[in-house]
Amino acid sequence: MKIFILTMIAMLGITSFAAAQSPDTLEIKAGKAKTGSRSKLKVKFISVLEDSRCPTGAQCVWAGNAKIKISVTSKRQGTKIFEINTELGPKGDQFDGFAINLESLTPSPTTVGKIDPKKYKAKFTITRLTR
């Protein structure tokens, strides 16, 4: 009986640790902000600074890169501005004990025309670095 109880306590501890480590996933439109439910970090997708990604349907020598500007706000650390990339340079950064990573940026460029800046949507993950 003691072994069963100790096993259950250990399993609950592992489960709660895994839940604490699961990331927030935020999908944010350009010009908008969202707050992570676990991290409580407010991420604002300010703008797309550049987008040289290979257009859909085209054959390119390289994949290209998009660079976006975001602000991240926490109650303890205030607000910090970051520039993050889809391919080149930093794809994320760290702030107030969390890693903020850009997972995707949509829509992809096309050969038809330029993307309306308001149509961009970025997907981020926010993961706790420390316990």
Side-chain angles (χ1 to χ4, degrees):
M1 187 65 169
K2 276 185 176 178
I3 294 174
F4 176 74
I5 293 172
L6 290 174
T7 303
M8 292 304 290
I9 291 171
M11 288 176 58
L12 285 172
I14 291 169
T15 303
S16 65
F17 177 76
Q21 297 300 317
S22 61
D24 279 331
T25 301
L26 303 176
E27 197 167 64
I28 308 169
K29 292 182 179 182
K32 303 292 182 185
K34 286 189 179 176
T35 301
S37 60
R38 292 180 193 90
S39 66
K40 304 301 183 212
L41 294 180
K42 180 181 177 183
V43 179
K44 182 175 183 183
F45 177 7
I46 298 170
S47 66
V48 175
L49 300 174
E50 63 182 62
D51 192 353
S52 65
R53 295 175 295 164
C54 184
T56 302
Q59 290 186 350
C60 300
V61 176
W62 72 300
N65 183 59
K67 181 188 288 186
I68 67 170
K69 182 187 272 191
I70 65 170
S71 69
V72 182
T73 304
S74 78
K75 288 183 180 179
R76 291 179 346 145
Q77 298 289 319
T79 300
K80 186 172 179 184
I81 303 291
F82 297 97
E83 292 181 3
I84 54 180
N85 299 273
T86 57
E87 296 296 325
L88 302 175
K91 297 179 185 178
D93 216 318
Q94 298 176 7
F95 184 68
D96 197 17
F98 291 90
I100 300 104
N101 291 299
L102 176 62
E103 298 298 321
S104 64
L105 180 66
T106 56
S108 295
T110 64
T111 55
V112 177
K114 205 169 179 170
I115 299 169
D116 177 356
K118 294 177 183 173
K119 300 282 185 189
Y120 280 105
K121 196 182 294 182
K123 184 176 181 181
F124 302 93
T125 56
I126 303 172
T127 308
R128 178 176 284 287
L129 296 173
T130 58
R131 179 81 178 127

